[in-house]
Amino acid sequence: MPPTTGTLDALLVEQRVFRPAPATVIEANIKPHDLAEAYALAGADHLAFWEKAALELEWRRKWDAVLDASNPPLYRWFPGAQGNIAHNALDRHVHAWTKNKLALIWEGEAGDCRKFTYFELYREVNRLAGALRGLGVGRGDRVCLYMPPIPETVVAMLAAAKIGAPHVFVFAGYSAKALRERVNDSRAKVVITADGFYRGGRMIDLKAVVDEALPGVRPEAAESVVVVRRTGHDIDMQEPRDLYYHDLLRQESPEAPTEVMEADEPLFWLHTSGSTGKPKAVVHGHAGYMVGAHHTFRTVFDVKPTDIHFCTADPGWITGHTYGVYGPLLTGATVILYEGHPLYPQADRLPSIIERYGATIFYATPTLIRMLMRYGPQYPKKRDLSTLRLLGSVGEPLGPEAWMWLYKHFGGSKCPLLDTWWQTETGMAMIAPMPISVLKPGSVGKALPGIEAEVVDQAGAPVEPGQGGYLVIKKPWPAMCLGLEGDPAGYRAAYWERIPGMYFAGDVARRDEDGYFWIQGRADEVLNIAGHRVGTAEVEAALTAHRFVAEAAVIGLPDKIKGEVAKAFVVPDPGWIAAFPDADAFDAELRAHVRRELGPIVVMRSVELRDTLPKTTSGKILRRQLRKEELGEVG
Ligand code: PRX
């Protein structure tokens, strides 16, 4: 696929296009005529299109209607349907040819490897399902997962789904405080964790964080803590609360019934940051999410029985949920899960994993790609990456330069690179190329069939091609979240009332003459640090919780590797002068404080001490002005 036009690198003038190789088109699940048909069907009958997608899965009872739109924006897909995502992701494979196929290949950071066939995974999930039931967890009870990327994490997600208990994943990099808040928030009966894990050559003592987090949670939460022994190091097991996973499972049967769920019963909660306040729990249900994850993985990632899919995202993020676990298992694919740091012990670790297991799809984030770029092409060059046939990116703008680097040095200039745009709330990829698409480096392609995306102005009117505006979705889609837990008004206000009747994604984008979308970044006060959403309000709240901080304002600064990092402006309480030897020590303390409060996800470039912060007449902090002072931005 040689470039057919131009060589300029800047996003706004990017003109290169890459056409699919003939073999890619011949072998694709969705060929050009299928795609044209899909767009035609979705255009003519949106619901018939998604009903067709739902019919590819097994149901205990089919739906009474495809969509219940009687109470917008609380759209409910497939009302009346009954089933369970775990049935489709796991149980049904045991009665199919996929039974003895590899479901999961796991590699530990030290190089240890464990593999599970679908049958083995099924038996392990059933044992944990039985154990959770034994601990009194039933349908509707939440199970909190504070887990590293290990096989038991996938087992735990599926076991919770199987018994109808929504999982609430807390990424293992979050602080004890964040974990405590989420356990409290969800009133999770059980917390599943590990003693520790390995990352960057270090052992991370995860259980110690749990022990710090749990005292003080509400009495009905975290009655039991199930601990997977990963590192085997000495940990404090508090009786009768703490139980070893392996001890529990030893007694359990490898068979367990799968709860028959109603379509809109919750499958999981996942917290994410918005413009205001604390992170909110986005809730996804069994039916619509399953249809969206399955359909997009099959069509966008074009998955085949021979595929080995390597998703670098941690299972604790939405990418890990949808395209690291559920999507691949729903389609009977094999996934690779890697425990450790992507550059450990050196920068060829990911290429080496691709080579050793023969990965065919590599789905990564722009931050990771930029990190690999910094180390140079000699690392992927050292390895045989010829098994790869598709590349993917998600989470932040990739940009033409990183696009070209990945395309060339991982894909050998022959693998389609799919830059997929979506969100925790959308549950599934919404705007993305397919392997047969003509690709433009830096663009996320067109809206998928069945997705009505548009770039509009503040009043909701479409803007001219090439003009910037707000990214909106104009029709409901199956994997859309059910809402924000306990906050229907907040859900309406943040997503559906900014521009009435449309889903407001919170991104600024433009669409070119060919209908290709180019994502420019967030439109709201949410930073995207290495693909992780961080609300400025959250960081400000963490800072002002410090006893020597009177006021704080946080803005994002561009960063070569992480895309964006935070900068804080702090009005200190005068007491700091007596408490710290100098401003550097105070700065270090504030950074450590943010890390303690929120975890290492919030990367701070600097903390600047100020006497005052610019404010509107009504007292709101003018972050815009701070940004302007810092970056020379206009407007
Ligand atoms: O700003 C967009 C950015 O990530 C946000 C969603 O973040 P989150 O819910 O954490 O989900 C990330 C993984 C699905 C979006 O509002 N984003 C996501 N994908 C892209 C992107 N920005 C540019 N290009 C993408 N492909």
Side-chain angles (χ1 to χ4, degrees), residues 272-273 317-319 323 363 366 393-398 418-426 428 431 442 444 471 505-508 518-523 526 528 531-533:
T272 195
S273 298
W317 303 114
I318 191 68
T319 303
Y323 298 120
Y363 193 37
S393 171
V394 62
E396 344 148 39
L398 179 58
L418 314 174
D419 186 357
T420 58
W421 178 88
W422 57 293
Q423 307 179 295
T424 306
E425 296 86 339
T426 70
M428 67 184 215
I431 308 179
V444 292
L471 181 58
D507 279 10
V508 182
W518 303 74
I519 308 295
Q520 289 162 326
R522 296 288 302 188
V526 174
N528 190 335
H532 302 145
R533 270 160 68 171

Side-chain angles (χ1 to χ4, degrees), residues 72-134:
L74 303 181
Y75 296 99
R76 295 295 177 251
W77 283 82
F78 309 109
Q82 292 179 333
N84 189 313
I85 198 166
H87 171 82
N88 279 289
L90 202 61
D91 302 354
R92 72 168 168 155
H93 294 299
V94 173
H95 306 287
W97 71 269
T98 31
K99 177 176 177 180
N100 296 320
K101 190 187 160 179
L102 276 187
L104 176 65
I105 300 172
W106 173 79
E107 184 165 291
E109 193 178 71
D112 36 343
C113 172
R114 291 164 69 196
K115 294 179 179 175
F116 291 75
T117 63
Y118 273 93
F119 184 55
E120 288 166 335
L121 189 62
Y122 167 84
R123 288 161 64 95
E124 183 84 359
V125 167
N126 285 338
R127 288 199 175 91
L128 181 58
L132 288 172
R133 284 184 171 126

Side-chain angles (χ1 to χ4, degrees), residues 169-192:
F169 211 125
V170 181
F171 170 62
Y174 277 123
S175 64
K177 183 167 179 251
L179 175 61
R180 183 183 312 127
E181 277 172 7
R182 287 156 208 212
V183 169
N184 261 336
D185 213 28
S186 63
R187 294 174 166 78
K189 244 189 187 161
V190 171
V191 176
I192 309 182

Side-chain angles (χ1 to χ4, degrees), residues 617-630:
T617 43
S618 60
K620 278 178 111 183
I621 294 173
L622 274 167
R623 294 191 195 84
R624 216 165 168 210
Q625 185 172 327
L626 291 168
R627 250 195 313 266
K628 198 167 151 189
E629 287 171 23
E630 195 68 25

